Amino acid sequence: MSLQARDKAHIWHPLTQHKTHPDVLPISSAKGALLYDENGVSYVDGISSWYTCVYGHCHPYIIEKVYAQMQQLDQIVFSGFTHQPAVELSEKLIKILPDNQQKVFFSDNGSTTTEVGIKMALQYHYNKGNKRNTILAFQEGFHGDTFGAMSASGLSVYNGPFTEHFIKVVRIPVPSEETIDSVLNELQQLIAKNKIAGFIYEPLVQGAAGMKMYPAQALNKILKICNAHEIITIADEVMTGFGKTGANFASEAVATKPDVMCLSKALTAGLMPMGVTTCTQKIYDAFYSNDMSKGLFHAHTYTANPLACTTALAAIDLLLSQEVQASKKRIEQAHIAFANSLKNHDKVTNIRTKGVILAFDLNIQMKRYGKLRDQLFDHFKNEGVYLRPLGNTIYLLPPYVTTTEQLNKIYQAIQSLLNSL
Ligand SMILES: *Cc1c(COP(=O)(O)O)cnc(C)c1O
């Protein structure tokens, strides 16, 4: 029996309506920017496997480090114990994060990092004896699929069965330079009417919304108002973190720094799952007490798994290497040139680039998960490229190690798509 047939027997895939979904594609290996299927056909991984494998798949440097760690210490309870990889990772992260970040809380994935961020914001006020019950978020934000994260996500197309169980969230639109004043107005009204504990946002680029980009100055104005009202600001950098927008973190481009930061995806370069939520001393201090119940009672079995921490340490070494920094610049410039070449195409609107991210919208009507979307996916697959369009948005976030030749292959696949429309 083929892998596809065996897969069908017992596997339930994420984000999938199995009755209408086309067959899934078995992948047997991956190296650098390339994925290989069972027949040895290769595909350029144009989205770094959901923004994780930015240093390329199966990177020998990371593998070597993790292999050594595997023979030393595999797993230990992180309540009551500590270990070298976790301590080193905390130090390394604090060194590269915005200056105000001081403490690192470990968890397993992006959703748990935002879940922890939301809990930090709610309990911060609770511990201070001033209960606040509302979270502020952007209309089209995405923060994950656990309940707190899902509640904060504005992109809840298929969350109908759960909405009545959500935590309380109020929303503002993502600002542009033109709309910022009216957004600030809305924000002031929401603050007056609600007890807002925290504001969760994806800085500069909203990934799941279709790589929607918005200006740092406008975000900064929102953050300043939040600070003035002691609303804990939570930067969800699960997608933007570790160099995607150019700087190591998108928050670097914003004058006002967040109280809390959520990191996952490229944190562990696609090799191990892990997430961290970092925060300022001010947040940590609100939990520091002789009173046991003021602590943060949140844990996962694999919290700060030594292999995951080792992966993250090796990944940060690569991020900071001259080779990766130079390669990122090369991709950034190639994107800008390609974006310019698309500017006058009548089927293309809203071309945007930031760092290694390039996105544009097709000037045609379509559903987020419709038939045309499957056709786009198939087109790219047939061209030897893995892209995953979101509705009518086509976006690239290639690994930093993607060669110029591989990049051109992606661009050509897009060109041939546009020519066929
Ligand atoms: C992917 C993502 C999440 C959720 O992360 P998971 O690891 O899939 O749970 C949260 N926030 C943002 C911005 C993301 O891109």
Side-chain angles (χ1 to χ4, degrees), residues 104-171:
V104 178
F105 189 96
F106 292 89
S107 66
D108 295 347
N109 57 65
S111 303
T112 56
T113 68
T114 59
E115 204 75 31
V116 168
I118 290 168
K119 282 189 176 182
M120 282 179 179
L122 291 171
Q123 194 177 342
Y124 172 88
H125 295 284
Y126 181 94
N127 281 358
K128 295 197 159 236
N130 170 26
K131 242 162 98 174
R132 297 192 186 183
N133 64 352
T134 305
I135 295 294
L136 172 71
F138 280 134
Q139 269 164 14
E140 292 191 297
F142 177 74
H143 304 290
D145 282 341
T146 52
F147 266 88
M150 181 170 55
S151 311
S153 296
L155 271 177
S156 49
V157 214
Y158 300 115
N159 283 345
F162 314 117
T163 48
E164 66 183 279
H165 308 288
F166 281 3
I167 62 170
K168 191 174 171 214
V169 175
V170 292
R171 297 181 195 288

Side-chain angles (χ1 to χ4, degrees), residues 109-111 142-144 202 236 238-239 265:
N109 57 65
S111 303
F142 177 74
H143 304 290
E202 295 159 89
D236 177 353
V238 170
M239 191 284 285
K265 290 196 168 129

Side-chain angles (χ1 to χ4, degrees), residues 97-326:
L97 283 167
D99 278 351
N100 66 345
Q101 300 298 301
Q102 275 301 320
K103 298 286 176 182
V104 178
F105 189 96
F106 292 89
S107 66
D108 295 347
N109 57 65
S111 303
T112 56
T113 68
T114 59
E115 204 75 31
V116 168
I118 290 168
K119 282 189 176 182
M120 282 179 179
L122 291 171
Q123 194 177 342
Y124 172 88
H125 295 284
Y126 181 94
N127 281 358
K128 295 197 159 236
N130 170 26
K131 242 162 98 174
R132 297 192 186 183
N133 64 352
T134 305
I135 295 294
L136 172 71
F138 280 134
Q139 269 164 14
E140 292 191 297
F142 177 74
H143 304 290
D145 282 341
T146 52
F147 266 88
M150 181 170 55
S151 311
S153 296
L155 271 177
S156 49
V157 214
Y158 300 115
N159 283 345
F162 314 117
T163 48
E164 66 183 279
H165 308 288
F166 281 3
I167 62 170
K168 191 174 171 214
V169 175
V170 292
R171 297 181 195 288
I172 49 173
V174 172
S176 65
E177 247 129 52
E178 294 76 41
T179 62
I180 181 63
D181 287 338
S182 83
V183 172
L184 294 181
N185 225 333
E186 278 184 55
L187 173 59
Q188 295 284 16
Q189 285 174 25
L190 287 173
I191 291 173
K193 283 195 208 125
N194 298 277
K195 292 185 172 166
I196 301 178
F199 169 48
I200 186 163
Y201 61 98
E202 295 159 89
L204 308 192
V205 188
Q206 296 184 298
M211 297 296 163
K212 200 167 175 178
M213 300 182 187
Y214 66 101
Q217 296 87 330
L219 174 59
N220 191 47
K221 288 180 182 163
I222 295 173
L223 295 180
K224 274 162 83 173
I225 293 184
C226 289
N227 281 352
H229 291 87
E230 226 185 335
I231 294 169
I232 304 305
T233 55
I234 308 163
D236 177 353
E237 293 226 26
V238 170
M239 191 284 285
T240 52
F242 303 98
K244 272 79 157 242
T245 62
N248 289 340
F249 300 97
S251 292
E252 288 176 35
V254 190
T256 306
K257 303 307 174 206
D259 299 310
V260 173
M261 292 179 74
C262 305
L263 306 168
S264 188
K265 290 196 168 129
L267 167 69
T268 41
L271 193 80
M272 298 283 296
M274 188 169 73
V276 299
T277 308
T278 67
C279 70
T280 60
Q281 191 69 40
K282 175 183 96 170
I283 304 294
Y284 182 78
D285 286 348
F287 292 72
Y288 193 77
S289 163
N290 288 325
D291 181 353
M292 186 76 180
S293 72
K294 289 205 166 159
L296 179 58
F297 278 81
H298 186 109
H300 298 284
T301 310
Y302 280 93
T303 296
N305 172 263
L307 304 179
C309 290
T310 303
T311 308
L313 280 166
I316 295 171
D317 285 347
L318 294 176
L319 174 71
L320 302 179
S321 71
Q322 281 196 347
E323 204 180 329
V324 164
Q325 291 295 327

Side-chain angles (χ1 to χ4, degrees), residues 64-110:
E64 185 192 308
K65 294 278 187 184
V66 175
Y67 182 63
Q69 180 60 41
M70 271 178 168
Q71 296 163 80
Q72 185 77 29
L73 175 66
D74 49 359
Q75 163 72 357
I76 179 74
V77 173
F78 206 58
S79 179
F81 293 102
T82 192
H83 51 78
Q84 179 97 7
V87 172
E88 262 185 50
L89 180 57
S90 69
E91 292 164 353
K92 214 167 219 170
L93 279 172
I94 294 304
K95 213 177 225 166
I96 61 171
L97 283 167
D99 278 351
N100 66 345
Q101 300 298 301
Q102 275 301 320
K103 298 286 176 182
V104 178
F105 189 96
F106 292 89
S107 66
D108 295 347
N109 57 65

